[in-house]
Amino acid sequence: MTDIATQPEQSEKALFDYFKGSISDEIGYMREQKAAGRGIVGFYCEFTPRDLILAAGAMPICLCGTNKNTISHAETLLPANLCPMIKASFGYAVTGGCPLLNDSDLLVAETTCDGKKKMYEVLSRDHKMHVLELTQKPQQEVAFKHWLAEVEELKQTLEQTFDTTITEQKLRDAIKAMNAERRQILAIQQLGKHKPAIVSGLEIAQTRYRVAGFERHHKQMESFLSMAQRRLDEGYQAAPTNAPRILLTGCPTGQGTEKLIEIIEECGGLVVVQEACSGIKGVYEMVSEQGDPLEAIARKHFNIPCSCMTPNSKRETLLATLASEYQADAVIDLVWQACHTYNVESVLIHDFVRDELGLQYMKVETDYSDSDREQLKVRVQTLLELLQ
Ligand code: SF4
Ligand code: SF4
């Protein structure tokens, strides 16, 4: 277990109020930095190396794709049978309602799935865009070489866009800063290992943020860790000792799309870890601080076990490790409707979880709407009853 940091006391209510409203803080910080002349780079996917953007002196911002209200606007241009994440992301562009997107000097996109790839072409009509071509055979060294060339090309785009030179030293400094940030996020995720639980899955999910390298948010995350330590010292339990422990895998969630986590915890379960990109996937591995820094950045990101990879056996390895480390009782696999890669991969994940891990498995295919809440509750309750 990672050491829990100590921070001055802050009431739990104040802390969670901060996390609930942290987007306005992030927008304020972004505007401040932009006014001071700093470049802003928006991106959508965990494969985007924030380290490289930081090394260019710019601010990496993970753009929103979790607002159900923007979906109908996206559907005026895009087909309706796309995954809600693509539509929600694009909906922000149609409505012009996201200051983080509007103020970005450059968007970095990636060819992880066909829907996103083509959506980015439409988006690039109004935004400066750099697309990273992601090679998809993680076992092949030649695939990594191509990805490394793609990361080198992004470096050149950043240098030209922001009229700067990304030196080796700048890369090393950025890697150190991002590793510190990744370790902090990982420490929060690892709080889920406690049995009995000291934090819920929903509380952990609320600590997420979008602007990398934002000191104020780092301090709040330290406060979260201190709060967890206090709870531990006081013998606080976030859930009964026998609450079924759920490993959530599949598509990422975000603020506004935590429906499944809410349902699992309302029904008496506990999401002890989220394997998805919105959970531990992006921070489980650090960037090596040895060797060539650009290659180290490329390698760490190439290792992310996303379903766009083929075969994606690293996801199974990660699931096995997490199931054991977090003492999971069952795996729930979240698939956003029309996400073909996660949807088809669920066949393999189902068999792996049942046959290799010996755990219960349930797949949930849904979208951002609340229309199936009751139906999902019944399914989740049935699974939890089986576990008790
Ligand atoms: S699940 Fe795949 S496509 Fe989605 S954010 Fe993660 S790495 Fe990117
Ligand atoms: S959830 Fe699936 S379909 Fe949607 S953007 Fe991510 S990888 Fe693409």
Side-chain angles (χ1 to χ4, degrees):
M1 173 64 62
T2 313
D3 282 347
I4 295 178
T6 45
Q7 278 285 307
E9 294 239 347
Q10 181 179 175
S11 82
E12 290 194 10
K13 187 182 174 309
L15 186 60
F16 285 110
D17 283 350
Y18 166 80
F19 286 125
K20 274 184 206 126
S22 66
I23 184 64
S24 52
D25 237 49
E26 292 178 68
I27 291 169
Y29 176 65
M30 183 270 297
R31 286 184 169 147
E32 226 173 73
Q33 296 277 306
K34 190 165 173 90
R38 190 165 177 204
I40 309 293
V41 179
F43 67 93
Y44 290 94
C45 168
E46 205 50 52
F47 281 111
T48 305
R50 294 165 172 90
D51 317 56
L52 193 48
I53 299 167
L54 273 187
M59 178 189 281
I61 297 179
C62 183
L63 296 171
C64 311
T66 58
N67 186 342
K68 59 180 168 229
N69 299 323
T70 63
I71 287 181
S72 58
H73 299 279
E75 286 174 348
T76 59
L77 285 173
L78 300 181
N81 62 343
L82 274 178
C83 107
M85 194 174 284
I86 302 177
K87 290 188 289 186
S89 307
F90 188 74
Y92 274 113
V94 177
T95 57
C98 174
L100 300 175
L101 173 62
N102 299 344
D103 282 7
S104 289
D105 301 298
L106 174 71
L107 299 184
V108 179
E110 74 309 311
T111 58
T112 45
C113 77
D114 289 350
K116 277 211 276 185
K117 193 165 73 187
K118 300 316 282 185
M119 180 275 272
Y120 292 143
E121 285 180 33
V122 185
L123 200 57
S124 70
R125 296 191 300 192
D126 299 315
H127 297 269
K128 183 175 160 75
M129 168 102 57
H130 181 103
V131 177
L132 288 159
E133 188 192 7
L134 187 73
T135 45
Q136 301 180 348
K137 288 183 169 178
Q139 291 81 355
Q140 294 195 353
E141 209 41 34
V142 65
F144 174 70
K145 290 281 176 253
H146 182 83
W147 170 243
L148 178 59
E150 286 290 305
V151 173
E152 274 164 358
E153 205 181 290
L154 173 62
K155 176 173 172 278
Q156 286 164 20
T157 298
L158 289 166
E159 287 177 329
Q160 282 158 12
T161 307
F162 300 115
D163 192 19
T164 187
T165 304
I166 300 177
T167 61
E168 196 174 316
Q169 192 52 49
K170 285 181 187 170
L171 284 172
R172 292 198 188 285
D173 292 347
I175 290 171
K176 276 210 177 84
M178 275 312 304
N179 275 349
E181 184 165 315
R182 283 186 276 262
R183 278 192 205 99
Q184 195 183 33
I185 299 169
L186 184 62
I188 290 181
Q189 298 289 324
Q190 287 175 329
L191 293 171
K193 287 184 185 175
H194 284 274
K195 191 176 182 182
I198 50 172
V199 288
S200 69
L202 199 55
E203 285 175 329
I204 290 178
Q206 282 172 4
T207 64
R208 289 193 209 109
Y209 59 111
R210 297 179 182 84
V211 176
F214 182 17
E215 265 313 307
R216 178 138 176 230
H217 200 94
H218 294 169
K219 288 207 171 74
Q220 296 294 343
M221 298 220 293
E222 285 301 309
S223 298
F224 186 91
L225 288 163
S226 302
M227 173 209 77
Q229 180 67 63
R230 283 198 300 278
R231 285 183 175 185
L232 188 63
D233 295 343
E234 290 162 9
Y236 173 92
Q237 283 193 215
T241 313
N242 64 349
R245 299 170 67 82
I246 305 298
L247 193 175
L248 186 61
T249 182
C251 294
T253 61
Q255 262 184 4
T257 60
E258 282 144 350
K259 172 173 75 175
L260 188 56
I261 305 177
E262 287 165 7
I263 290 172
I264 293 167
E265 301 200 333
E266 278 162 21
C267 290
L270 188 72
V271 176
V272 286
V273 63
Q274 208 185 138
E275 180 268 346
C277 280
S278 43
I280 213 164
K281 190 136 71 189
V283 293
Y284 201 74
E285 184 179 326
M286 299 296 138
V287 173
S288 169
E289 294 181 18
Q290 313 299 320
D292 178 71
L294 199 66
E295 191 167 336
I297 289 171
R299 180 73 67 185
K300 177 253 174 316
H301 290 84
F302 193 59
N303 282 347
I304 293 171
C306 173
S307 62
C308 64
M309 292 291 179
T310 184
N312 188 25
S313 49
K314 281 186 197 145
R315 183 177 173 202
E316 293 178 355
T317 310
L318 181 57
L319 283 173
T321 309
L322 296 178
S324 149
E325 285 181 351
Y326 289 77
Q327 301 178 63
D329 299 311
V331 174
I332 298 186
D333 195 359
L334 170 64
V335 177
W336 294 129
Q337 274 166 12
C339 173
H340 303 315
T341 51
Y342 274 104
N343 208 348
V344 177
E345 195 167 278
S346 67
V347 176
L348 305 171
I349 298 301
H350 167 276
D351 289 354
F352 178 76
V353 170
R354 287 278 180 97
D355 303 342
E356 304 294 326
L357 304 184
L359 296 176
Q360 291 286 340
Y361 169 92
M362 189 173 92
K363 172 176 158 184
V364 170
E365 194 180 345
T366 185
D367 62 8
Y368 290 181
S369 78
D370 282 322
S371 58
D372 59 354
R373 257 186 190 260
E374 289 312 310
Q375 195 192 338
L376 289 178
K377 256 189 186 167
V378 173
R379 290 189 59 210
V380 169
Q381 256 156 3
T382 308
L383 174 76
L384 298 183
E385 277 163 21
L386 269 179
L387 300 170
Q388 275 170 337

